[in-house]
Amino acid sequence: MDSRAIGIFDSGCGGLTVLTKLKQILPNENFVYLGDTLNFPYGSKTKEEIIQCSIKNVEFLISQNVKIIIIACGTATSQSLDILKEKYDIPIIGIIEPTVSYIKELDLKEIGVIATEGTIRSGAWEKEIKKLMPNIEVINKACPMLATIAEEGKAKSKEGRCVIKEYMKPFKERRVKNIILGCTHYPIYEEIIKEELGYDVNLINTGETTAIFTKNFLHSENITANHQKQREKIYLSKNTKEFKNIAQNILGENLALFVTL
Ligand code: DGL
């Protein structure tokens, strides 16, 4: 047993899509979330910049006395997970490994991956997928504008729909049936993507796979909590006027936000 909270970070609101799944799958756990809105977006940053941001985020969460850290960000997972794991003793889970383990069970011939520019450039998804499934074809597509449009609260606007139309072209042409939402901001576009593709598509939500993986990890390490009432605290490195609305839409609750750093 370990009653301490689970720490989570992202560059902004995207990681809330992971927090939602964690809350559902781990109803007796507490959470501390950090959205690094001051340094958003991570997708266009260099590896070195992402590592520096991730280190700051981890140190903040450790100062909050969390028992484990989840990198609820594809970009930070792809470029800083290995370094963070080496540097800190606290268990750290990214979103790539849990998702790839899930895909392996599907026994697919091809898989689509959409993510930020930095994530696609790093090749981290493709590398991890090929490790377990050497014969699968991976169709990558960088979607540089999606996280920013979502962070501005405009995912469902005309602009959001136009950009989705463009980014979905390679998948629509080939009718790709399974696509990983490789950036945690992207589940915000789930409905719009499905509408645009117009066929039965499995959009793989990294929040869900990561939450299941985390549950198994907590059990295997015997560090689950048993809180009767779940609590979460959300910190931002900079207050933005859109964040509260977006958080309410994703989590379905009116939450207090705290500004830090
Ligand atoms: N939510 C993030 C990800 O999963 C980061 C988006 C960004 O900051 O560019 O990649």
Side-chain angles (χ1 to χ4, degrees):
M1 283 282 283
D2 189 333
S3 60
R4 291 177 299 164
I6 295 174
I8 303 154
F9 78 82
D10 178 41
S11 59
C13 66
L16 296 175
T17 63
V18 181
L19 177 61
T20 316
K21 299 293 178 188
L22 284 163
K23 279 169 51 101
Q24 286 164 8
I25 290 169
L26 294 163
N28 303 113
E29 299 289 337
N30 289 341
F31 302 95
V32 177
Y33 182 95
L34 172 62
D36 188 13
T37 38
L38 180 68
N39 294 303
F40 179 88
Y42 284 5
S44 52
K45 290 196 161 36
T46 64
K47 183 177 167 93
E48 195 43 50
E49 286 169 331
I50 292 163
I51 292 169
Q52 288 318 317
C53 293
S54 298
I55 288 177
K56 260 193 166 176
N57 298 340
V58 166
E59 292 193 348
F60 171 76
L61 291 169
I62 290 175
S63 78
Q64 300 299 301
N65 194 29
V66 298
K67 60 184 169 190
I68 172 177
I69 292 174
I70 296 169
I71 309 181
C73 172
T75 314
T77 301
S78 69
Q79 287 163 83
S80 69
L81 176 65
D82 293 349
I83 286 141
L84 297 176
K85 275 186 160 179
E86 243 171 60
K87 190 171 164 66
Y88 298 99
D89 289 333
I90 186 165
I92 303 178
I93 293 175
I95 62 164
I96 297 181
E97 191 195 339
T99 309
V100 173
S101 314
Y102 160 81
I103 294 163
K104 186 164 188 321
E105 303 307 311
L106 303 181
D107 194 23
L108 303 172
K109 297 217 166 17
E110 64 174 17
I111 183 96
V113 180
I114 55 172
T116 65
E117 227 168 348
T119 303
I120 297 296
R121 197 189 333 113
S122 77
W125 278 103
E126 182 143 6
K127 213 162 78 197
E128 202 65 30
I129 292 169
K130 294 275 187 185
K131 232 196 263 170
L132 293 187
M133 294 155 269
N135 297 323
I136 197 170
E137 186 181 351
V138 184
I139 303 138
N140 289 294
K141 176 81 186 148
C143 305
M145 293 173 66
L146 286 190
T148 303
I149 295 172
E151 197 73 22
E152 287 168 354
K154 294 186 193 149
K156 302 209 160 85
S157 67
K158 203 170 163 213
E159 188 187 2
R161 286 173 195 276
C162 261
V163 172
I164 289 288
K165 198 177 173 65
E166 183 58 33
Y167 290 152
M168 285 306 119
K169 276 186 184 158
F171 306 108
K172 198 170 177 173
E173 273 164 19
R174 300 177 52 158
R175 292 178 76 84
V176 178
K177 291 268 168 35
N178 293 276
I179 303 174
I180 300 171
L181 304 177
C183 164
T184 54
H185 281 72
Y186 298 177
I188 299 172
Y189 294 94
E190 205 172 317
E191 276 169 42
I192 302 174
I193 294 175
K194 283 187 173 164
E195 271 170 36
E196 173 54 29
L197 291 177
Y199 56 81
D200 195 16
V201 62
N202 177 23
L203 298 177
I204 299 156
N205 183 321
T206 59
E208 198 159 334
T209 56
T210 305
I212 295 166
F213 187 94
T214 304
K215 181 181 178 181
N216 293 338
F217 180 81
L218 295 179
H219 281 281
S220 69
E221 296 294 309
N222 205 13
I223 52 169
T224 53
N226 195 19
H227 299 291
Q228 293 313 303
K229 191 178 171 339
Q230 194 177 54
R231 282 175 214 279
E232 68 260 314
K233 261 190 149 180
I234 299 188
Y235 290 91
L236 301 178
S237 50
K238 179 183 137 196
N239 210 352
T240 71
K241 62 177 190 318
E242 296 83 11
F243 198 96
K244 208 175 168 85
N245 271 342
I246 301 172
Q248 211 168 323
N249 280 341
I250 296 175
L251 295 167
E253 296 166 52
N254 192 0
L255 295 163
L257 303 177
F258 303 88
V259 178
T260 175
L261 311 179

